[in-house]
């Protein structure tokens, strides 16, 4: 805990570094915040000078949860460093880019991102390495761009220890994107990512199984502040828990909306596909549906510099062929940015689980978080 406090103090001290560019609504939500080096899918023009930049961020928070189990009420509390990240980005004048980012926790450093991005043609982009899966407007957005502390219920669900494919996440992959020069900023991409079941000591036999996840994404911007996107994905999973021979691919589809004028932030997305969550006997069946929406006012009262009251809702039904297993979460709170460099967030989230077969537990979480970011 002392190390975490020292790390936060050091990074806050760096907040006296040069100021960031003024906040404004990003023209492409997937690009996220460039000062945080979290801009895998953003544009950069050829002909600019080569540059090497570094930046980082720290989130320190506290969470208190209230849950009722077996007729008893339990309270739990924890304090943690939600994120301590440092990254480097090299951009060549040709438009090529290399990024590496590390997440620090306790005495270890974990590779968060590490990729190379090339533009062999003006309308084509190729990315290879470890980066975000191209799905979910909320998942692709940087945590600094989101007013919430957590992204919601869907991020807590796991399949064989892996994140669900429709919440994004990071992994090793290869992506090819085509973006013709047309007014609506159409972008089409195809990518493959390593599936977690294809790694480790018990990995699948690649001669028998294609242990990769496939993503096809199309997005366009009908207006300056509005982006629409749709994704079709094939996500590898086990139809029977513990049986590698039951490995298969589940089709998943999404529709995503992001609307970000100067006074508002809105994300909404829906997902559907073949269910990948195992039942009590280890088998899978049926289809799932999931959805989430987040809306926040983007106010500039002067003091604080930016004020963002927000509200969100998430819904997940893991198996529509069964009843009494859906989950709903509602969340709300406030994000206060006192400068361009640090902010304070408050959030309350309540999860309602319909029955004992649900993948979550009914309860309420109270969260507070202090965040700081810095750059060269």
């Amino acid at each position: 805990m002392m190390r975490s406090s020292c790390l936060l103090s050091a990074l806050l001290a760096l907040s006296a570094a040069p100021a960031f560019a003024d906040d404004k609504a990003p023209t492409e939500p997937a690009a996220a915040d460039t000062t945080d080096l979290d801009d895998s899918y953003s544009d950069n023009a050829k002909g600019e000078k080569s540059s090497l930049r570094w930046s980082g961020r720290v989130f320190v928070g506290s969470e208190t949860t209230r849950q009722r189990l077996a007729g008893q009420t339990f309270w739990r509390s924890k304090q943690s460093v939600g994120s301590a990240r440092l990254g480097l980005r090299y951009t060549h004048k040709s438009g090529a880019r290399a990024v590496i980012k590390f997440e620090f926790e306790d005495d270890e450093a974990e590779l968060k991102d590490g990729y190379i991005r090339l533009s062999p043609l003006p309308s084509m982009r190729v990315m290879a390495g470890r980066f975000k899966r191209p799905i979910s407007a909320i998942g692709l957005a940087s945590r600094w761009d989101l007013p919430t502390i957590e992204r919601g219920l869907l991020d807590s669900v796991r399949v064989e220890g892996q994140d669900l494919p429709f919440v994004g996440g990071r992994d090793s992959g290869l992506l090819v994107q085509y973006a013709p020069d047309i007014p609506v900023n159409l972008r089409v991409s195809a990518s493959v990512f390593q599936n977690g079941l294809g790694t480790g000591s018990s990995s699948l036999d690649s001669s028998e199984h294609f242990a990769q996840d496939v993503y096809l994404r199309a997005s366009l911007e009908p207006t300056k502040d509005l982006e629409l996107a749709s994704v079709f994905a094939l996500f590898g999973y086990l139809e029977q828990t513990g049986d590698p021979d039951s490995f298969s691919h589940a089709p998943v589809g999404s529709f995503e909306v992001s609307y970000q004028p100067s006074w508002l932030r809105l994300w909404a997305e829906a997902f559907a596909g073949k269910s990948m969550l195992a039942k009590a006997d280890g088998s899978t069946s049926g289809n799932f549906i999931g959805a989430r929406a987040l809306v926040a006012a983007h106010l500039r009262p002067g003091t604080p510099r930016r004020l963002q009251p927000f509200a969100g809702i998430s819904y997940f039904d893991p198996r529509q062929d069964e009843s009494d297993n859906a989950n709903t979460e509602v969340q709300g709170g406030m994000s206060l940015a006192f400068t361009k460099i640090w902010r304070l967030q408050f959030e309350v989230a309540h999860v309602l689980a319909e029955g004992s077969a649900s993948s979550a537990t009914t309860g309420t979480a109270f969260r507070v978080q202090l965040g700081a970011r810095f750059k060269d």
Side-chain angles (χ1 to χ4, degrees), residues 15 17 22 25 53 80 82 97 122 159 175 180 188 217 227 233 271 279 283 287 313 325 327 352 369:
S15 64
D22 286 340
R53 295 181 57 195
S80 64
R97 175 173 293 178
V159 177
L175 178 144
V188 180
R217 178 183 179 89
E227 182 185 37
F271 313 91
K279 296 184 287 187
S283 64
N287 299 316
I313 185 169
N325 62 5
N327 309 291
L352 177 62
Q369 179 172 267

Side-chain angles (χ1 to χ4, degrees), residues 79-342:
Q79 297 183 8
S80 64
V81 177
S83 175
R85 188 173 300 176
L86 185 65
L88 290 172
R89 182 182 70 199
Y90 174 72
T91 303
H92 190 262
K93 61 183 179 180
S94 66
R97 175 173 293 178
V99 172
I100 184 169
K101 289 189 291 184
F102 286 95
E103 189 81 29
F104 296 90
E105 184 175 358
D106 296 328
D107 295 327
E108 298 181 357
E110 175 190 6
L111 178 66
K112 197 68 175 179
D113 281 338
Y115 62 85
I116 297 172
R117 198 187 74 184
L118 304 173
S119 298
L121 299 172
S123 59
M124 180 178 292
R125 175 172 298 163
V126 179
M127 292 177 58
R130 178 181 173 84
F131 52 95
K132 285 186 175 181
R133 295 169 179 255
I135 188 170
S136 172
I138 294 176
L140 286 168
S142 167
R143 284 185 62 187
W144 191 268
D145 289 335
L146 294 172
T148 58
I149 297 176
E150 298 292 342
R151 288 187 169 97
L153 171 71
L154 297 180
D155 271 45
S156 64
V157 181
R158 298 289 183 271
V159 177
E160 301 290 339
Q162 307 173 81
D163 291 336
L164 289 175
F166 49 80
V167 298
R170 290 170 163 86
D171 221 316
S172 299
L174 173 66
L175 178 144
V176 178
Q177 177 180 276
Y178 174 66
D181 187 15
I182 59 178
V184 295
N185 198 18
L186 174 67
R187 301 183 182 208
V188 180
S189 68
S191 57
V192 292
F193 283 79
Q194 180 66 50
N195 185 283
L197 296 173
T199 60
S201 58
S202 59
S203 60
L204 300 170
D205 186 347
S206 58
S207 65
E208 299 180 3
H209 303 285
F210 180 68
Q212 306 286 323
D213 299 333
V214 180
Y215 293 82
L216 302 176
R217 178 183 179 89
S219 66
L220 56 86
E221 298 177 14
T223 65
K224 175 185 176 182
D225 302 317
L226 176 65
E227 182 185 37
L228 306 176
S230 184
V231 177
F232 174 77
L234 293 173
F235 184 71
Y237 75 111
L238 298 180
E239 293 182 334
Q240 181 68 43
T241 301
D243 182 9
D245 292 333
S246 68
F247 181 80
S248 182
H249 283 85
V252 175
S254 79
F255 180 71
E256 307 160 21
V257 178
S258 177
Y259 180 57
Q260 301 192 36
S262 60
W263 56 275
L264 183 72
R265 299 292 184 268
L266 171 66
W267 297 266
E269 47 196 24
F271 313 91
K274 188 176 181 180
S275 179
M276 297 158 282
L277 287 181
K279 296 184 287 187
D281 62 359
S283 64
T284 58
S285 67
N287 299 316
F288 80 88
I289 58 171
R292 58 183 173 182
L294 173 63
V295 61
H298 194 77
L299 310 176
R300 297 176 181 273
T303 304
R305 183 176 182 273
R306 187 180 68 243
L307 186 65
Q308 290 183 294
F310 64 85
I313 185 169
S314 302
Y315 176 80
F316 182 56
D317 186 347
R319 285 180 296 276
Q320 289 190 286
D321 61 341
E322 297 181 357
S323 60
D324 207 33
N325 62 5
N327 309 291
T328 303
E329 181 186 59
V330 292
Q331 60 187 138
M334 185 77 69
S335 175
L336 303 93
F338 293 95
T339 71
K340 300 176 183 179
I341 296 171
W342 72 276

